[in-house]
Amino acid sequence: LLISGESGEGGIFPVLAALTFSLVGALVAAGRPRNPVGWLLLTIGVTAAIGLPTSALYEWDRQHAGTFTGAAFNAWLGGALWLLWIGFLIPRVMLLFPDGKLPSPRWRVVSISQFIVLAALVVSNLKPGPISDYEEYDNPFGIGLLSGVFDFASHRGALFMPLFLFAAIGPVVSL
């Protein structure tokens, strides 16, 4: 299913992307272990490989009338990993590329903001109720006592994530 591209999100591209990120990250980390770029690329590749089966398992569960017992966790994991890649790991690589250091001290604001977005993403993944993009499943890690905090973090994270993604592009473009 993943390689044939029968589902809308399958195909060979995600598999090649996971392998490429993992291989390049491992090579950079082995050659320059103090450079965080290699470790970040390796983390992207490994988490992408972990996340690859989520869409296939989701489709399988839908076709088999909800018989997959880990479907809610699977849906939560797929969404959490996607947010981690887009909201933190990829922008972090762009900010620290190529030598693993900030281009100048003034980029520290963007760096700190990335960690704030990461915290908001973590908090938003603990929101109770249906999982976004997988509405038929309830969040298995939802904490109902703090629902107001989750709404606040979720909306702010969604608002600022694109801003910090574009801000992180700055150092790469200026190379």
Side-chain angles (χ1 to χ4, degrees):
L1 184 66
L2 282 173
I3 296 181
S4 69
E6 293 173 21
S7 76
E9 298 179 44
I12 195 72
F13 178 74
V15 174
L16 289 176
L19 288 171
T20 303
F21 275 110
S22 297
L23 180 63
V24 171
L27 289 172
V28 173
R32 304 223 182 248
R34 292 183 180 222
N35 186 338
V37 172
W39 295 106
L40 288 166
L41 291 172
L42 183 58
T43 302
I44 291 169
V46 169
T47 57
I50 292 168
L52 275 172
T54 58
S55 62
L57 287 171
Y58 172 71
E59 289 298 324
W60 186 87
D61 187 57
R62 281 186 20 168
Q63 293 171 1
H64 292 87
T67 56
F68 177 49
T69 56
F73 172 76
N74 177 66
W76 175 85
L77 180 64
L81 289 176
W82 185 84
L83 285 174
L84 178 65
W85 301 321
I86 301 301
F88 182 74
L89 292 172
I90 292 172
R92 193 80 187 153
V93 167
M94 291 188 294
L95 185 64
L96 299 176
F97 186 81
D99 61 357
K101 298 176 186 159
L102 295 174
S104 71
R106 68 179 178 193
W107 287 95
R108 197 170 297 135
V109 172
V110 175
S111 177
I112 292 168
S113 300
Q114 287 179 332
F115 285 102
I116 293 170
V117 168
L118 176 63
L121 294 173
V122 168
V123 168
S124 71
N125 275 313
L126 299 175
K127 182 179 179 181
I131 300 170
S132 74
D133 295 333
Y134 304 99
E135 298 290 327
E136 60 269 23
Y137 303 116
D138 281 335
N139 187 345
F141 301 106
I143 302 172
L145 295 172
L146 303 171
S147 61
V149 173
F150 296 120
D151 289 337
F152 179 83
S154 168
H155 290 100
R156 296 319 176 272
L159 175 68
F160 289 110
M161 189 169 59
L163 272 163
F164 296 126
L165 178 62
F166 287 119
I169 294 172
V172 176
V173 172
S174 66
L175 286 178

